[in-house]
Amino acid sequence: MGNIEKGLPAKEKRKSEKYRSIPNASSNWGEEVRNNHPDQLHSAILGRIEHIAKRIDTYLPPTSGGENFYKVDQTIATDLENSVVELAESYLKSAREKYFGGKIFPEDENHSYPYDTIKAFDAKLEEIQSLIINAELPLSKEKEHKILINPEAKIDAEKYRELSEDEKNALHEEGISMLKKATEQIKELKEKFESQQLLVESKK
């Protein structure tokens, strides 16, 4: 039997695993693609989803050896993973079934297909991606248990200071808050995307 951490088998396959290698996903994304190459946004969004799916393993076992490396509460981590998977599935369903004249490229009054909606979706997904990435910074500081105070010192005792329990707890809470915020934003984005509220926002 595998190790159990808060009720989750260490060898259980993650739901996000199937998004870790998406065909035709681009490694180029960001404002430059959004503003100058909107025709490439679909593959850029797939690249973001692929990257997010890989980062989920940082917070949810199994990682190497099945360890919950940053000791993230698994209810929070599982909620994050499920939300990401549901958003990815909603986006890909729309891309497959309604690529033109649907949620991604809605037909405008001139019977053309502007990029406003997919740009809005990508910009919001970028915020979510940044939260998931940046949440690792305070959690990694907590994991290290020490901070640099004198880079010129020759010995570690003078170069670093051990973190207090309160400092470690504060760092942990900072990282967890970012993951919770990311999950909230994912659910909001999925709801807006599916209800086409994003279409109204993108025209403002």
Side-chain angles (χ1 to χ4, degrees):
M1 294 180 63
N3 294 329
I4 303 298
E5 180 141 11
K6 296 196 176 181
L8 290 176
K11 294 184 179 180
E12 179 185 342
K13 286 188 177 180
R14 303 265 55 87
K15 292 183 178 68
S16 57
E17 192 172 84
K18 64 181 175 180
Y19 295 108
R20 292 187 61 171
S21 181
I22 304 176
N24 303 318
S26 174
S27 59
N28 295 320
W29 53 61
E31 191 173 355
E32 195 274 336
V33 174
R34 193 158 54 243
N35 293 337
N36 300 325
H37 305 284
D39 58 310
Q40 300 174 16
L41 273 174
H42 176 62
S43 60
I45 286 171
L46 294 183
R48 288 190 192 278
I49 291 171
E50 180 182 49
H51 186 246
I52 289 170
K54 290 176 180 177
R55 296 302 289 255
I56 286 174
D57 279 353
T58 306
Y59 309 114
L60 198 62
T63 57
S64 57
E67 180 188 4
N68 179 3
F69 190 69
Y70 290 124
K71 306 301 180 186
V72 175
D73 184 286
Q74 295 301 278
T75 301
I76 295 169
T78 302
D79 193 20
L80 171 65
E81 181 191 41
N82 290 340
S83 299
V84 167
V85 168
E86 288 169 8
L87 177 63
E89 290 176 346
S90 179
Y91 174 81
L92 291 171
K93 182 176 184 291
S94 181
R96 284 192 300 269
E97 296 178 0
K98 302 177 180 179
Y99 205 83
F100 291 100
K103 298 184 188 72
I104 297 178
F105 296 122
E107 184 177 2
D108 65 15
E109 62 275 7
N110 298 318
H111 303 291
S112 63
Y113 300 93
Y115 292 103
D116 291 355
T117 297
I118 196 169
K119 281 184 175 182
F121 185 92
D122 181 66
K124 291 181 180 295
L125 189 61
E126 183 174 51
E127 294 176 13
I128 292 164
Q129 181 186 21
S130 295
L131 278 170
I132 293 172
I133 292 169
N134 292 336
E136 191 172 0
L137 297 175
L139 293 173
S140 64
K141 289 180 181 178
E142 177 205 8
K143 184 77 173 178
E144 290 170 2
H145 298 293
K146 58 187 179 182
I147 58 172
L148 182 66
I149 56 174
N150 183 7
E152 304 299 324
K154 303 298 182 182
I155 58 175
D156 283 356
E158 296 175 359
K159 193 172 185 177
Y160 298 97
R161 176 178 67 78
E162 289 290 320
L163 294 173
S164 68
E165 287 302 313
D166 285 344
E167 288 174 319
K168 287 187 283 187
N169 290 338
L171 287 167
H172 191 80
E173 184 54 39
E174 181 183 351
I176 295 302
S177 295
M178 294 169 78
L179 295 179
K180 287 180 178 178
K181 185 176 180 181
T183 302
E184 290 171 4
Q185 290 190 6
I186 290 165
K187 292 177 179 179
E188 289 173 5
L189 178 56
K190 180 176 179 287
E191 181 181 347
K192 288 180 178 180
F193 184 65
E194 292 181 346
S195 67
Q196 299 194 28
Q197 291 181 44
L198 203 59
L199 307 189
V200 177
E201 291 183 6
S202 66
K203 292 179 181 178
K204 290 181 180 179

